[in-house]
Amino acid sequence: LMKQHILILAVCSAMAATAEDLPHLHSPLGIPLTLSGNFGELRANHFHSGLDFKTNGRTGYKIYCADDGYVSRVVVSPWGFGRAVYVAHPSTGLTTVYGHLDSFADKIDRPVRKRQYEQEAFSIDMEFAAGEIPVVKGETIGISGNAGSSGGPHLHMDVRDTRSGDALDPMPYFKDRITDGVAPEVRQIAVYPRPDGHVAVAKGRAAYRTPAELGQPIKAWGRVVPGIKAYDRMTGTSNIYGVKYLTFKVDGNVVYRRVIDRVDFNRTRGVNTLVDNADRYEKGAWVMVTEVPDAAPLGSMIHTDLPGGVLSIDEERDYKCEFVLEDEHGNRSSAKFVIRGEKVPLKESRQDGTLFRHDGDNGYSSEGLTVTFPRGTFYDDLYFKVKADTGVRLAPQDKTVVYTIGDPSVPLAGNYDLSIDLMRDDMQDKSKYCLVRVRNGKRSAVSARYKDGRMVARPNQLGSYQVTVDTVAPKVIPYQKAQWAKSGKVVYTISDNLSGIESYRGEIDGKFMLFELDGKTGKASFRMDPSRLTKGKRHTVKMTVTDACGNTSSATDTFGW
């Protein structure tokens, strides 16, 4: 117990010392700072790496540089951050990142646009040397927007350790400018049995309690895993956020503590080990659990005295349990509940499949399918099996049955090798074959290539896969053509039915023009540029789009400007 208290005091002291020594960063916006997302939020296959600052539901605010330094990198993409500026600050060893921008400051935009036209491509990733684009604290480096994989207008901002590349929680740098007097909110408590454990439930695989039901003991025996569904809240908003500090106590003793204050991008998929993945896969519920997998990918983020983070209920008594949640501003809440030890005979666990070790290379081969998992793909040992839906009649376009590879709720640390033999290799144009992942009747394309009668790929998810055919060309539709001249934009909506858009190209009067693609809306737009387009005449525009299976379509239109 003394050791546990010393550990917590040491962590708190280190936090306080770090907070005192932090450099002062300029606000990235000229409006009061409120958040739509915080650092470390649990998201699909990754932690949220920064703060999402609200921009009053609109675009167009100036974005200010946090400190003196230089632009080290610029990324432009239809997805992710959309338009992003990376600024290195040598005096502090930090790098700040500004994402989802509508546009860049002129001295950043000029070299980026020049490179885009040289490469005749919208997507670009450029690095700059220290002396190329210097910036100073408070300088305008761009305009806020809604570009990339953004759910609405806002500014995403990272603070990173330049040397390691790790993302750091920006909140300590801005907490004096963000009001927060609201404690985290508990939504649900859960207790999950492990194969050598039992939890009394009316139905389902776990015992759940809402905050109003916490007075009802949860009866259990053997090895079990406590979990909690909870979110942080903040003053003046209805948003929900991730919980930074999470502690679990048994009979007053701290046995588990988790702090999300730094994220290694090479291990960000480890976010999946913090939750019960069966609940996440089946219900979309993010229930945080104390269990730590054998691979322990999150390292020092977690401290536990429970073997593997699993609680052993081996006495017929009440185990007094408590989850404590805290945010960066010191707001705290807790959820107390009782696990009542009630001895029951434990059924012998029977495992079906082939045992795969998490610390070894693993492979499986059967008629028509081969999979190879490199060392470190799995976080825990598991029993693996493959099911082929051989009894289902194939549609004419389908070239294999559906193979269910492992348990789709099991998270993976990275990619594995998949090879599926075609049952009907009857397409003359092999590029038309398409590998899809099937879930709930819906298909999503997976990057793959044809090789000697099979499709080979490197997916990063288990689940159901099938080879089919895509011969349908993308759609290319002019958007509000009558408004092009007035709005100063030529806009097309482009989409594809299955394999996804591989490339697109816009030309005006026979010359490449930079059409900017918004991945979430499928709109490719060219902003009228008098330096590249002669005013006062009619112009001919051609948009050509190709999908991942080589199907191509185009549209040609004229407009006056």
Side-chain angles (χ1 to χ4, degrees):
L1 182 60
M2 179 64 71
K3 179 181 176 182
Q4 294 162 357
H5 285 311
I6 291 173
L7 172 62
I8 295 172
L9 288 173
V11 170
C12 293
S13 297
M15 288 166 44
T18 302
E20 293 174 1
D21 298 335
L22 292 178
H24 181 271
L25 299 184
H26 194 286
S27 175
L29 290 161
I31 56 176
L33 299 182
T34 57
L35 302 182
S36 58
N38 70 338
F39 180 84
E41 288 180 354
L42 313 185
R43 299 189 177 182
N45 297 319
H46 72 285
F47 291 96
H48 189 231
S49 62
L51 298 180
D52 286 343
F53 292 104
K54 292 188 177 185
T55 56
N56 294 324
R58 68 178 184 86
T59 64
Y61 286 100
K62 290 182 178 180
I63 303 302
Y64 302 112
C65 188
D67 206 350
D68 295 346
Y70 64 93
V71 175
S72 59
R73 183 184 179 196
V74 173
V75 174
V76 180
S77 169
W79 308 104
F81 285 160
R83 293 179 192 84
V85 176
Y86 293 64
V87 179
H89 310 285
S91 64
T92 61
L94 300 176
T95 292
T96 51
V97 185
Y98 312 80
H100 306 306
L101 303 185
D102 184 70
S103 60
F104 303 125
D106 186 58
K107 70 179 184 181
I108 301 172
D109 187 66
R110 281 197 309 271
V112 170
R113 193 167 293 267
K114 180 175 182 291
R115 181 71 62 85
Q116 288 173 312
Y117 271 97
E118 288 173 350
Q119 297 185 356
E120 296 191 349
F122 169 61
S123 296
I124 201 165
D125 189 339
M126 294 181 67
E127 294 186 354
F128 299 90
E132 288 189 74
I133 309 179
V135 289
V136 297
K137 189 173 188 174
E139 181 178 349
T140 300
I141 56 175
I143 299 298
S144 71
N146 187 31
S149 304
S150 168
H154 72 280
L155 169 69
H156 174 101
M157 183 178 181
D158 280 2
V159 174
R160 300 187 183 181
D161 179 333
T162 302
R163 178 175 293 182
S164 68
D166 291 356
L168 311 176
D169 186 358
M171 183 64 87
Y173 297 89
F174 296 106
K175 63 182 293 185
D176 61 336
R177 286 160 280 182
I178 296 174
T179 302
D180 183 10
V182 183
E185 174 188 353
V186 177
R187 296 282 185 89
Q188 190 180 61
I189 292 294
V191 177
Y192 301 92
R194 284 302 163 248
D196 49 356
H198 168 80
V199 175
V201 294
K203 62 178 181 178
R205 52 182 289 273
Y208 302 96
R209 297 288 188 271
T210 65
E213 299 168 335
L214 292 183
Q216 303 173 18
I218 297 172
K219 298 178 181 179
W221 191 253
R223 283 163 46 84
V224 301
V225 177
I228 183 169
K229 183 179 181 181
Y231 300 99
D232 195 12
R233 306 302 292 261
M234 291 188 182
T235 300
T237 77
S238 59
N239 298 80
I240 55 175
Y241 309 90
V243 176
K244 182 169 184 176
Y245 302 103
L246 178 64
T247 301
F248 179 62
K249 300 179 181 180
V250 178
D251 297 328
N253 299 320
V254 174
V255 296
Y256 174 93
R257 181 169 173 79
R258 187 216 71 195
V259 180
I260 305 177
D261 59 358
R262 186 183 189 106
V263 171
D264 178 348
F265 287 100
N266 294 319
R267 298 188 176 190
T268 192
R269 290 180 66 88
V271 66
N272 297 314
T273 68
L274 289 183
V275 299
D276 183 85
N277 279 281
D279 264 357
R280 184 170 72 91
Y281 184 81
E282 296 165 6
K283 307 175 185 176
W286 291 76
V287 181
M288 299 174 287
V289 294
T290 62
E291 188 171 19
V292 180
D294 291 336
L298 300 180
S300 61
M301 189 181 291
I302 297 171
H303 299 275
T304 181
D305 290 335
L306 300 175
V310 179
L311 180 61
S312 291
I313 305 298
D314 52 10
E315 299 178 38
E316 292 191 282
R317 65 176 181 86
D318 284 353
Y319 292 74
K320 297 179 180 179
C321 302
E322 180 182 13
F323 276 107
V324 180
L325 308 98
E326 189 173 351
D327 63 26
E328 183 64 28
H329 285 77
N331 303 299
R332 179 183 295 189
S333 60
S334 70
K336 296 181 179 181
F337 61 103
V338 169
I339 299 178
R340 179 163 293 167
E342 188 172 273
K343 191 171 184 178
V344 297
L346 295 176
K347 297 179 181 179
E348 183 178 350
S349 176
R350 296 183 62 185
Q351 302 288 355
D352 186 17
T354 303
L355 178 62
F356 280 4
R357 300 288 185 184
H358 77 281
D359 55 356
D361 297 319
N362 297 283
Y364 177 94
S365 183
S366 64
E367 185 176 350
L369 179 139
T370 301
V371 287
T372 304
F373 300 94
R375 183 187 306 267
T377 304
F378 300 106
Y379 295 112
D380 270 315
D381 296 349
L382 79 161
Y383 284 86
F384 178 87
K385 60 182 179 179
V386 171
K387 174 186 175 184
D389 293 338
T390 54
V392 179
R393 184 175 181 179
L394 297 182
Q397 70 272 21
D398 295 334
K399 303 305 176 183
T400 69
V401 297
V402 175
Y403 293 94
T404 299
I405 302 170
D407 179 350
S409 71
V410 172
L412 304 182
N415 301 78
Y416 63 96
D417 293 306
L418 167 64
S419 173
I420 301 180
D421 294 343
L422 298 179
M423 299 173 67
R424 296 200 300 252
D425 188 359
D426 53 6
M427 295 294 293
Q428 184 174 358
D429 184 353
K430 309 303 183 184
S431 69
K432 298 297 184 282
Y433 291 127
C434 180
L435 179 66
V436 294
R437 189 169 189 264
V438 184
R439 184 180 179 191
N440 298 329
K442 296 182 179 180
R443 298 178 172 189
S444 56
V446 178
S447 179
R449 61 186 177 88
Y450 174 88
K451 181 181 179 181
D452 301 330
R454 65 179 69 93
M455 290 293 281
V456 294
R458 299 200 73 244
N460 57 18
Q461 290 179 293
L462 301 176
S464 299
Y465 291 88
Q466 183 179 31
V467 179
T468 186
V469 170
D470 182 3
T471 57
V472 179
K475 292 183 178 179
V476 185
I477 303 171
Y479 179 75
Q480 295 183 347
K481 181 180 174 182
Q483 301 297 317
W484 285 359
K486 183 178 180 180
S487 67
K489 280 186 179 182
V490 178
V491 185
Y492 282 90
T493 300
I494 62 178
S495 61
D496 187 65
N497 70 313
L498 184 59
S499 61
I501 293 171
E502 181 72 15
S503 64
Y504 71 97
R505 179 183 176 87
E507 296 180 349
I508 298 180
D509 300 334
K511 295 181 180 180
F512 170 83
M513 293 293 166
L514 184 60
F515 277 78
E516 303 177 353
L517 179 61
D518 186 331
K520 60 184 173 293
T521 63
K523 288 185 171 57
S525 58
F526 170 75
R527 305 184 188 191
M528 305 295 192
D529 184 350
S531 70
R532 297 186 179 273
L533 201 63
T534 304
K535 295 191 71 172
K537 58 177 286 189
R538 291 200 68 78
H539 303 277
T540 299
V541 56
K542 182 179 181 180
M543 176 61 69
T544 303
V545 183
T546 303
D547 68 17
C549 285
N551 303 298
T552 299
S553 59
S554 62
T556 302
D557 296 277
T558 61
F559 66 97
W561 181 71

